[in-house]
Amino acid sequence: MSGETNIAKLINEMSPELNHGEYVFSTVHNLDRIDRKDTICEFKENEGTTIVIEKNKADQLKLPYEYVAAWITLKIHSSLEAVGLTATFSTALAKNNISCNVIAGYYHDHIFVDTKDSEKAMLVLTNLSNTSI
């Protein structure tokens, strides 16, 4: 299954879903003390490995973080070659003064927004999907 590339269908059928919990981004230099089952994702950078992990697990591990996020998953299976989906929803969120951090998985796009903006972000995304042509 290769995923959807039609931008109109992607927007109309994105079906945003708010995942339960609070999530943080932290940078670690050694992953040995991190249970890899606990990480949502990892990205290697020159400065260290950025992990996304549940806030309570980060607190237990005494990991540093500055940003507490809500996690929204777009339920449509978007192709990694799709053009315009990220630009469309990030523009809609930006117009509503909502910062977003996006991670593309093989099947779905995942949007992290400040926890204080989670309900507003869901309204913006749902409205975008419902009013799209």
Side-chain angles (χ1 to χ4, degrees):
M1 192 182 251
S2 60
E4 184 60 56
T5 59
N6 179 289
I7 187 65
K9 186 169 184 179
L10 286 166
I11 299 301
N12 285 329
E13 298 178 19
M14 63 183 178
S15 303
E17 181 177 282
L18 181 62
N19 295 285
H20 178 73
E22 295 180 313
Y23 301 86
V24 299
F25 289 66
S26 185
T27 298
V28 296
H29 297 284
N30 182 348
L31 289 168
D32 291 344
R33 59 178 237 183
I34 309 294
D35 187 339
R36 304 301 271 285
K37 292 182 290 184
D38 291 337
T39 61
I40 305 303
C41 70
E42 304 171 9
F43 196 89
K44 293 179 185 176
E45 299 180 285
N46 290 335
E47 298 84 357
T49 301
T50 296
I51 63 170
V52 178
I53 190 168
E54 287 184 73
K55 180 184 176 295
N56 64 349
K57 293 185 194 249
D59 291 340
Q60 290 170 6
L61 294 166
K62 297 183 177 15
L63 296 175
Y65 59 85
E66 298 174 11
Y67 177 74
V68 181
W71 171 17
I72 299 169
T73 299
L74 302 184
K75 300 305 286 184
I76 189 163
H77 178 191
S78 57
S79 169
L80 291 169
E81 296 177 332
V83 175
L85 177 60
T86 303
T88 302
F89 69 69
S90 64
T91 298
L93 292 169
K95 286 179 180 177
N96 286 274
N97 204 33
I98 301 171
S99 167
C100 68
N101 296 279
V102 182
I103 297 171
Y106 183 82
Y107 290 100
H108 306 286
D109 290 277
H110 305 275
I111 307 166
F112 292 86
V113 300
D114 193 297
T115 53
K116 70 177 172 38
D117 294 326
S118 62
E119 289 182 27
K120 185 177 177 183
M122 285 296 295
L123 288 172
V124 168
L125 294 169
T126 301
N127 187 49
L128 175 64
S129 183
N130 290 338
T131 59
S132 172
I133 298 173

